[in-house]
Amino acid sequence: MTAATHPCLRLALLAGLLAPACAPAATGPGADWILQAVARPAPSRTVFVELRESPMLKQPLRLQGEYRRETDGRLVRQVHAPYAETTTLADGEAVVERAGRAPRRIALSQVPELMAVQAGFGALLAGDRELLRQTYDVEAGGTREQWTLRLLPRDPRLARSLARIDLYGRGAELRCVESHPAKGPPQRTLMAGAAAAADGVAEPAALAALCHGGAAQ
């Protein structure tokens, strides 16, 4: 699996660039309220901590870096540790770059998941529920102080690889994206305040607790 097709990358590029704003009062949220709260114009950026689990790894791989959305519409995922890598979605393709290697280019038309990323991310930034629903069924829960937004793929082809996406947030801050592939463990990307709270935290269970809105144990 390449960096550009990894579930966490797809999902974090979908929603990982949304930064916090003012915190509203506590009351039950709806999907429209959440989308309006997290919508952000470009340029925007946020740090992330990502945990990848795989049977092929002796221990989960922890990645740290930054997501950016540029004014020209490019979506950029820049990994700083434990290696350096930049992935850019723009102009119908994903470009993966590492020092000392030729850039790897992947046409989005060949990867339905990445096409869904572009459509869904644009809808999130615009706060457009109807546009988001072209790709996902949307379910909201929790309170405005601590909410969840569940995205269920509508396209059967996408659903064969992705069961759902769970977004966790507080007020106007999107704090975690949790991808549930059709097979295998969930993949989590902590952002903004949750990424800051994850500094020095290594245990998967503790990072999962931070993702879901609690404190690391």
Side-chain angles (χ1 to χ4, degrees):
M1 182 178 293
T2 68
T5 57
H6 191 278
C8 273
L9 169 59
R10 297 196 303 266
L11 302 174
L13 283 175
L14 169 68
L17 308 181
L18 307 179
C22 56
T27 186
D32 290 338
W33 180 90
I34 293 172
L35 290 173
Q36 290 299 322
V38 302
R40 296 291 180 272
S44 59
R45 62 198 304 162
T46 187
V47 297
F48 74 84
V49 172
E50 179 179 302
L51 194 69
R52 294 185 184 175
E53 297 183 65
S54 169
M56 296 182 292
L57 299 174
K58 293 183 179 180
Q59 59 184 14
L61 177 63
R62 180 191 177 104
L63 304 178
Q64 294 179 233
E66 178 183 75
Y67 289 107
R68 301 194 309 273
R69 179 175 182 259
E70 309 291 3
T71 53
D72 60 4
R74 289 180 299 145
L75 310 180
V76 181
R77 174 185 186 265
Q78 191 161 21
V79 177
H80 300 316
Y83 53 82
E85 179 182 86
T86 300
T87 302
T88 304
L89 293 186
D91 301 324
E93 67 177 4
V95 181
V96 183
E97 299 174 278
R98 283 198 186 189
R101 300 183 185 180
R104 176 180 173 84
R105 298 180 180 273
I106 303 171
L108 299 185
S109 60
Q110 299 176 359
V111 189
E113 296 92 336
L114 289 178
M115 293 186 68
V117 164
Q118 280 203 323
F121 186 70
L124 283 168
L125 289 176
D128 190 334
R129 183 181 181 182
E130 292 308 311
L131 182 58
L132 189 64
R133 278 183 53 80
Q134 292 179 16
T135 306
Y136 301 98
D137 286 326
V138 183
E139 301 174 357
T143 68
R144 291 188 179 186
E145 285 191 340
Q146 189 164 317
W147 50 261
T148 61
L149 192 68
R150 176 163 292 181
L151 308 180
L152 301 164
R154 298 172 64 89
D155 188 334
R157 294 176 302 168
L158 181 57
R160 284 196 290 268
S161 60
L162 175 66
R164 70 179 191 272
I165 303 168
D166 290 333
L167 311 178
Y168 296 87
R170 294 180 182 174
E173 181 182 60
L174 175 62
R175 294 171 60 86
C176 187
V177 176
E178 185 175 73
S179 166
H180 291 261
K183 296 180 180 180
Q187 305 287 345
R188 300 181 179 95
T189 300
L190 284 70
M191 295 163 292
D199 185 32
V201 179
E203 289 297 323
L207 291 170
L210 286 173
C211 175
H212 297 161
Q217 302 296 321

